[in-house]
Amino acid sequence: RRLEQAGLVAVSQGGSTQVLDYKKSGGLEVLGALVVREGKIDTRVARSILELRSTLGQELARTCARKRATGRLDEIVEAMKAKEGDLRALQSLALQFWEEVVRGADGIAWQLAFNSMRASYGLIQEHLLHVLAEELQATREYAALARAIGRGEEDAAARHAAAIVALGARAMEKVLGALDRKEAR
């Protein structure tokens, strides 16, 4: 039943089951199963997640700014400033920040897409703590993003979100490149 809901199989009347092509019928919930297979990170899937993360971050910030929905963003930024240097705390606060942006964007599709991305991230979160250190410590950018959202500055919000996510993407690309080189050997 779960596989059917995920769009991975089709059960017809009479009980026969047909395996479907996940690329044509699956949803974002399949990402977690695709990014790590047989104990290895699929770098192509990981790169596509990074692309989606960048686009999602920018558009969520833009939408949140349009609605001027700051929620707890300033409070979270202050907590980030207080926890500077504590990567584990900053990782948790960064997730809270983005959850608040998603909440401010106020759309079920945004929320579900974010949930899928967060679930995929959760599978490798512990391993990314030091890789994403620069992004996690970008409290000035997070503060600038919160201000842009509060002022309703959609383009500025999108730029700040892009800058934050780009820090992590560059670091991740180094790791993915190293994994590709190792696999090629």
Side-chain angles (χ1 to χ4, degrees), residues 80-158:
M80 290 172 126
K81 289 176 183 176
K83 294 292 185 177
E84 245 174 69
D86 182 347
L87 290 180
R88 205 166 303 289
L90 290 172
Q91 188 178 47
S92 174
L93 289 164
L95 275 172
Q96 289 175 42
F97 185 94
W98 288 108
E99 286 168 356
E100 200 64 27
V101 171
V102 172
R103 193 173 295 114
D106 191 32
I108 190 65
W110 291 128
Q111 185 66 58
L112 295 177
F114 179 77
N115 291 348
S116 294
M117 295 291 292
R118 183 180 51 209
S120 297
Y121 177 67
L123 296 171
I124 54 175
Q125 179 176 343
E126 184 67 28
H127 305 290
L128 297 180
L129 185 63
H130 294 285
V131 174
L132 297 177
E134 189 177 5
E135 176 181 322
L136 297 174
Q137 296 179 90
T139 52
R140 284 185 179 178
E141 280 297 332
Y142 282 102
L145 174 52
R147 280 192 306 275
I149 288 171
R151 293 177 183 151
E153 298 170 348
E154 297 176 38
D155 291 340

Side-chain angles (χ1 to χ4, degrees), residues 58-98:
Q58 289 176 62
E59 292 311 313
L60 279 167
R62 183 184 308 281
T63 303
C64 192
R66 184 176 319 119
K67 297 177 182 189
R68 292 186 180 211
T70 57
R72 298 180 41 243
L73 292 178
D74 291 333
E75 174 189 331
I76 295 168
V77 168
E78 288 307 312
M80 290 172 126
K81 289 176 183 176
K83 294 292 185 177
E84 245 174 69
D86 182 347
L87 290 180
R88 205 166 303 289
L90 290 172
Q91 188 178 47
S92 174
L93 289 164
L95 275 172
Q96 289 175 42
F97 185 94
W98 288 108

Side-chain angles (χ1 to χ4, degrees), residues 4 10-18:
E4 186 176 24
V11 180
S12 60
Q13 200 169 17
S16 67
T17 303
Q18 176 186 3

